[in-house]
Amino acid sequence: MPDYLEYDNKDLVSEPFTRVRKEDMADISYSADWNIWYRFYVGSTYRINIKTKDHRVLRVKFTSYFSANEKVNDAYDTIVNLLWEYYLEDIVTERLEEFEASKKLQLAGFTLTEHGVTVPEKKLFIEWGDVELKEYEAYHMVYNRQQPTEHQDIRLGEWGSEVLYSIIKKLKKRTS
């Protein structure tokens, strides 16, 4: 639902569904991994994690095997799209408002300022005019257009990865 997420992860006889209200959500991470037996692809495991502002985490995991994989993959895609539409877009907007208020934002180890991006592990600073983004299956990459070896991966499934990527993409468009 647009105002809350409800998930059946309890004994329904004694307790109702777990419900997380939209305004209580701090972040959402999700990922899909292949299930391989020996050398053969046999299915996928999907993970969706919702972190609340009081640091609780609701973990959803489901797995598909063999012929059920396509239906489960479609369900996962639908869920992820709804998570974006109902919740993540608002989290991105909220974090962008924080950035606009202070002209600085720290997220997933990165520091964003009005001048550019500081990449955490390599202690690099990339000015907005040189910031480039690339999407891969398991991660996004932030790199310096002038020196592509100056880069940092943003691993999908980690806290802040989707929000960070979206914010950098929006801020990069503003400065182009």
Side-chain angles (χ1 to χ4, degrees), residues 157-172:
E158 291 185 8
W159 294 120
S161 63
E162 293 297 329
V163 174
L164 175 65
Y165 181 79
S166 295
I167 290 173
I168 291 174
K169 195 172 182 179
K170 288 178 186 275
L171 292 175
K172 181 179 164 15

Side-chain angles (χ1 to χ4, degrees), residues 40-160:
F40 303 102
Y41 162 77
V42 296
S44 300
T45 298
Y46 304 91
R47 290 175 181 80
I48 300 169
N49 299 311
I50 295 123
K51 185 189 292 185
T52 63
K53 291 179 179 174
D54 64 356
H55 305 289
R56 290 180 297 126
V57 177
L58 172 64
R59 298 182 193 285
V60 179
K61 176 182 166 186
F62 50 100
T63 303
S64 67
Y65 292 100
F66 306 112
S67 62
N69 198 50
E70 188 174 329
K71 291 177 187 173
V72 175
N73 189 56
D74 291 346
Y76 172 77
D77 288 344
T78 299
I79 292 167
V80 168
N81 289 335
L82 287 171
L83 289 172
W84 264 104
E85 181 182 341
Y86 291 164
Y87 316 119
L88 274 166
E89 284 182 13
D90 288 344
I91 292 170
V92 169
T93 300
E94 186 178 304
R95 299 307 302 264
L96 272 171
E97 288 170 359
E98 287 176 36
F99 176 81
E100 293 300 331
S102 66
K103 299 299 181 199
K104 185 175 183 178
L105 179 67
Q106 290 191 312
L107 185 60
F110 286 72
T111 302
L112 311 177
T113 68
E114 61 186 325
H115 303 292
V117 177
T118 300
V119 177
E121 289 180 21
K122 300 180 181 171
K123 297 188 175 37
L124 297 173
F125 177 77
I126 307 171
E127 293 184 15
W128 284 115
D130 291 327
V131 170
E132 289 294 334
L133 296 168
K134 182 92 174 169
E135 291 185 67
Y136 295 94
E137 187 174 322
Y139 63 94
H140 304 304
M141 183 181 292
V142 178
Y143 65 96
N144 186 332
R145 175 185 2 195
Q146 303 297 323
Q147 297 177 327
T149 57
E150 294 181 355
H151 65 276
Q152 178 69 44
D153 299 348
I154 304 170
R155 291 272 168 218
L156 298 180
E158 291 185 8
W159 294 120

